[in-house]
Amino acid sequence: MHIDEACVTCIINQSLKVADAIEADDALRTTLSTTVTQMSKDFSFELSPPEVASDVYEKMAILAQKEDLYGEVKELSTKKALSFIPFLKEKLHNSQEKLLIATKIAVAGNVIDLAAAVEFDLDEELEKIFHTEFSHNDFAQLQKELQKAKRVVVLGDNVGEHIFDYLFIQTLQKLYPQISMSYMVRGNPIINDVTMKEAKEAGFDKLCELVDSGVNTPGFTYTRANSYAQELFDKADIIISKGMGNYECLSPSHRSNICFLLKVKCEVVASSLGANVGDIICKINEFKS
């Protein structure tokens, strides 16, 4: 996906969110806002929103003299997500449709998105997610592919959400023990996306293969990934792509069998998917048997 005018406005507005997150004084708040606004005049409409955002966030980090702009917020998101784990484990234990419940849990976590134009409440989302249908529903295809898959790569998205991804991968391993699982994270702090730091703290390195993709964008930009991440991406039987940033970077992609799991949080992505803001999506691109 390429950016459009709505994306430009959204990215500019993110400078205000950053200012709030780091408790910037008035001078820094103004500097962040005016700098991003000035940068927006040169945004390339040949790039995806995450590619454009990576340059913006790198600049804001320099101005704020802070490597991880959302470091403190990410810690709070993790703690909140962890508080739901006992309830979600019980939900899984009591369900006869464990894959569906685990998939819904993984999607529910996707509401933890600090770059979204529209924000959703995690508590409210978990109340209704199990009774909400996917507006684009390729779940049956996902289930079929998992039954025969040998290697699956999950592309992580946001911190907090990654706690639910852990439960999702754990469930996949129990249901499909033949699968070799890899969890791929960002190469450096960008917005509130999960990196090696948060993934290791959550124990992913003991759960499955944990991979630093090398990308500096809030989405898996294949051309910016390291060679090992590219190889894994190309050879996996199926890619499970979490969140809007990964969707934006991988629509289109050079490969098929990418299952996009996300909550729609902006009109641009909604239009691309033929969906509405607030919908949940389980979509496999150009399904290949």
Side-chain angles (χ1 to χ4, degrees), residues 226-286:
N226 58 47
S227 59
Y228 182 65
Q230 289 181 344
E231 180 182 0
L232 274 181
F233 182 86
D234 290 336
K235 292 184 176 180
D237 296 306
I238 187 165
I239 303 291
I240 298 177
S241 167
K242 297 292 309 299
M244 291 202 313
N246 288 321
Y247 172 77
E248 289 166 338
C249 288
L250 295 171
S251 300
S253 172
H254 63 273
R255 66 156 291 161
S256 58
N257 274 27
I258 302 176
C259 179
F260 296 105
L261 294 178
L262 65 138
K263 175 89 169 180
V264 180
K265 290 162 288 192
C266 81
E267 293 291 351
V268 176
V269 171
S271 177
S272 171
L273 287 163
N276 297 308
V277 172
D279 284 354
I280 58 173
I281 304 294
C282 177
K283 174 183 172 63
I284 296 182
N285 74 324
E286 297 179 13

Side-chain angles (χ1 to χ4, degrees), residues 193-213:
D193 285 23
V194 61
T195 67
M196 290 292 283
K197 175 181 180 294
E198 296 85 21
K200 284 184 176 180
E201 289 172 350
F204 277 91
D205 53 331
K206 299 176 180 64
L207 176 70
C208 62
E209 182 186 29
L210 177 60
V211 180
D212 183 336
S213 66

Side-chain angles (χ1 to χ4, degrees), residues 138-158:
D138 285 341
F139 177 77
Q141 290 181 320
L142 172 62
Q143 192 170 33
K144 179 181 176 182
E145 282 300 296
L146 288 171
Q147 288 168 354
K148 63 182 181 180
K150 294 294 190 292
R151 175 169 287 281
V152 173
V153 171
V154 178
L155 301 179
D157 190 26
N158 299 317

Side-chain angles (χ1 to χ4, degrees), residues 64-191:
Q65 298 181 0
K66 192 174 178 66
E67 181 182 2
D68 191 346
L69 292 167
Y70 282 116
E72 292 82 2
V73 179
K74 289 195 291 186
E75 290 181 9
L76 292 174
S77 296
T78 298
K79 289 179 182 178
K80 179 159 188 174
L82 285 169
S83 71
F84 288 105
I85 292 301
F87 161 72
L88 295 175
K89 283 185 174 179
E90 183 179 3
K91 189 80 176 177
L92 270 170
H93 177 74
N94 295 330
S95 174
Q96 298 299 311
E97 298 182 287
K98 288 183 169 47
L99 178 62
L100 179 61
I101 293 299
T103 304
K104 290 283 188 74
I105 288 170
V107 174
N110 188 232
V111 304
I112 307 172
D113 187 348
L114 300 181
V118 177
E119 296 182 2
F120 294 88
D121 182 77
L122 181 58
D123 302 70
E124 182 181 333
E125 194 66 20
L126 285 171
E127 282 288 327
K128 66 182 183 181
I129 190 71
F130 304 111
H131 311 289
T132 303
E133 296 295 325
F134 291 110
S135 67
H136 191 111
N137 193 349
D138 285 341
F139 177 77
Q141 290 181 320
L142 172 62
Q143 192 170 33
K144 179 181 176 182
E145 282 300 296
L146 288 171
Q147 288 168 354
K148 63 182 181 180
K150 294 294 190 292
R151 175 169 287 281
V152 173
V153 171
V154 178
L155 301 179
D157 190 26
N158 299 317
V159 170
E161 178 181 355
H162 76 300
I163 298 298
F164 296 169
D165 291 344
Y166 187 101
L167 200 54
F168 176 59
I169 291 174
Q170 198 173 51
T171 303
L172 291 183
Q173 289 175 328
K174 291 177 181 177
L175 294 175
Y176 309 103
Q178 85 283 0
I179 292 178
S180 174
M181 299 289 308
S182 300
Y183 189 66
M184 210 174 282
V185 299
R186 309 294 185 239
N188 59 269
I190 178 74
I191 316 183

